[in-house]
Amino acid sequence: MGESGLELARRYYLEVVGPLLLADSPGLAHAGARLGSGSDVLGLDDGVSRDHDWGLRLTVLVDAHEVERVDALLERALPEYFAGWPTRFATSWDPVVRHRVEVDTPEGFATSRLGVASTVSLDPLDWLSLTGQALLEVTAGALYRDTHGAISDIRRRLAWYPDDLWRYVVAADWSRIAGQLPVVGRTGQRGDDTGSRVQIGHLARTIMHLGFLLERRWPPYPKWQGTAFARLPKVGRAAPALRAALTATTWQDRQSAAGDVLNHLHAVQRTMGLPTGSDAVRPFFDRPFLGVTDTVAELLTDSIEDPRVRALPAGVGSIEQWVDNVEVLTTPRLRLAAAAAWRSLVGGPVTDV
């Protein structure tokens, strides 16, 4: 494939963009990085990624009064090509041929991705309005230089949920799994093999999401979740069992393999210092199906101390745990509209959107 997008961006900044900025304004406080959207930000780009929106992309973050000047400088002074790639090109969201160094303030950039202000402490409902991918567009990627300091501080503050919110969202996934797991067997027993296969697919998505939460990693958008799940240091060991659940030809084998995955995740949960019981799964009443042990979610919920988090409805979780519409999840304005409805239901202040 050649060099990765992150490596190309690193050389582009260190050899071209950074020297241009400092030659024009020595001592300019700024951050040079490759942040935002794109498989390369996650380190997951390959040869196919190069067919659109891939190339000489950077993020440069400066104080507000420098944004327009720096953007104009780059448009004027950048060479036509670097390392055989054009410095100016159209993208799928912008047909104009121009340089693709995104110039913004640290706060403006982060807010554009999150939809909520990044300069203040987030309350629980702010956190729950965020998707893993939105957070990765700020916290993942590479930071090549930061003499400004603000984006480094923002990335530190967004590294992971506050502890009680972590417990809340983990409990929410276990609650979802508790509702999904027995249906894999019930549909199969009724002779609905297609329905059973669909149910194990739904369950697998929730299981993968739970795996990221347990490893304290923001989940990427769906295209890369299977790849990233398999690379998780602890949870990733369950990837073969998850694959077995998805490829099994009988409902009995599907639920058995899913139970193996859930028992492994439950064991990882214990190593992460979260409360656990003795077993993750058990027989579902007197039926020949598997269910989740009642205490798995209850122990997590009971361990929450923050009264604001304890007041949240159990089993609901973050927006990506109860909304699966891609357009909503990837558009901050729509995501905030959904969050505003959520706030009104739980009695919190409604944010203008």
Side-chain angles (χ1 to χ4, degrees):
M1 171 192 142
E3 66 184 335
S4 68
L6 287 179
E7 176 59 22
L8 179 64
R10 185 189 71 83
R11 293 203 297 122
Y12 185 39
Y13 172 75
L14 293 178
E15 299 177 30
V16 177
V17 175
L20 268 177
L21 296 178
L22 296 179
D24 179 78
S25 181
L28 175 69
H30 74 283
R34 175 66 181 102
L35 309 175
S37 63
S39 300
D40 54 313
V41 172
L42 305 177
L44 294 171
D45 53 315
D46 59 15
V48 175
S49 305
R50 298 185 177 202
D51 65 1
H52 70 287
D53 299 341
W54 192 97
L56 298 174
R57 296 175 60 186
L58 281 174
T59 309
V60 168
L61 304 174
V62 294
D63 286 329
H65 68 276
E66 295 281 14
V67 170
E68 290 188 12
R69 186 188 68 79
V70 168
D71 186 67
L73 166 68
L74 294 174
E75 187 61 43
R76 181 176 68 251
L78 283 172
E80 291 299 312
Y81 289 87
F82 172 74
W85 291 90
T87 61
R88 297 168 178 83
F89 53 97
T91 63
S92 59
W93 64 87
D94 180 8
V96 177
V97 174
R98 56 157 292 152
H99 76 77
R100 295 300 162 181
V101 180
E102 182 178 9
V103 184
D104 204 341
T105 65
E107 299 80 6
F109 170 80
T111 300
S112 74
R113 304 294 165 163
L114 305 176
V116 296
S118 58
T119 56
V120 298
S121 296
L122 303 183
D123 69 23
L125 294 177
D126 286 330
W127 277 107
L128 296 177
S129 74
L130 303 176
T131 65
Q133 178 60 33
L135 285 152
L136 285 170
E137 291 184 9
V138 179
T139 63
L143 191 58
Y144 305 118
R145 175 180 288 155
D146 186 14
T147 57
H148 189 285
I151 194 63
S152 293
D153 180 62
I154 289 170
R155 280 159 63 100
R156 281 191 295 270
R157 288 190 284 110
L158 297 176
W160 194 243
Y161 288 116
D163 187 71
D164 277 345
L165 272 173
W166 180 32
R167 294 164 188 259
Y168 173 71
V169 293
V170 170
D173 266 345
W174 278 114
S175 294
R176 294 180 70 197
I177 291 167
Q180 294 169 331
L181 179 58
V183 186
V184 174
R186 178 60 172 149
T187 50
Q189 185 199 49
R190 291 282 294 180
D192 182 7
D193 188 63
T194 298
S196 180
R197 290 174 184 270
V198 169
Q199 293 302 322
I200 196 66
H202 285 310
L203 179 62
R205 288 184 61 184
T206 308
I207 286 173
M208 286 195 296
H209 190 269
L210 174 61
F212 287 104
L213 294 182
L214 291 176
E215 295 242 18
R216 299 171 62 93
R217 306 286 182 91
W218 299 123
Y221 59 105
K223 179 171 70 173
W224 295 119
Q225 285 190 7
T227 299
F229 178 88
R231 295 180 181 182
L232 293 171
K234 297 178 180 180
V235 169
R237 298 171 194 165
L242 184 60
R243 186 162 53 250
L246 289 167
T247 58
T249 57
T250 68
W251 66 264
Q252 293 93 338
D253 288 343
R254 279 178 210 124
Q255 73 168 11
S256 176
D260 291 341
V261 177
L262 293 171
N263 281 326
H264 178 75
L265 265 61
H266 194 242
V268 170
Q269 182 170 310
R270 187 176 297 115
T271 69
M272 297 299 289
L274 294 174
T276 56
S278 56
D279 299 298
V281 298
R282 58 164 177 74
F284 187 68
F285 299 103
D286 58 351
R287 297 179 179 183
F289 315 133
L290 284 181
V292 173
T293 304
D294 292 339
T295 56
V296 174
E298 290 175 2
L299 287 169
L300 288 159
T301 301
D302 290 345
S303 71
I304 295 170
E305 297 180 357
D306 186 333
R308 299 173 301 170
V309 182
R310 290 187 67 86
L312 295 171
V316 178
S318 70
I319 192 167
E320 63 187 2
Q321 291 175 294
W322 58 274
V323 173
D324 66 359
N325 184 287
V326 173
E327 190 66 21
V328 173
L329 293 177
T330 58
T331 307
R333 176 180 57 82
L334 297 178
R335 200 167 64 236
L336 284 176
W342 165 246
R343 283 178 181 270
S344 67
L345 288 173
V346 299
V350 178
T351 302
D352 290 335
V353 296

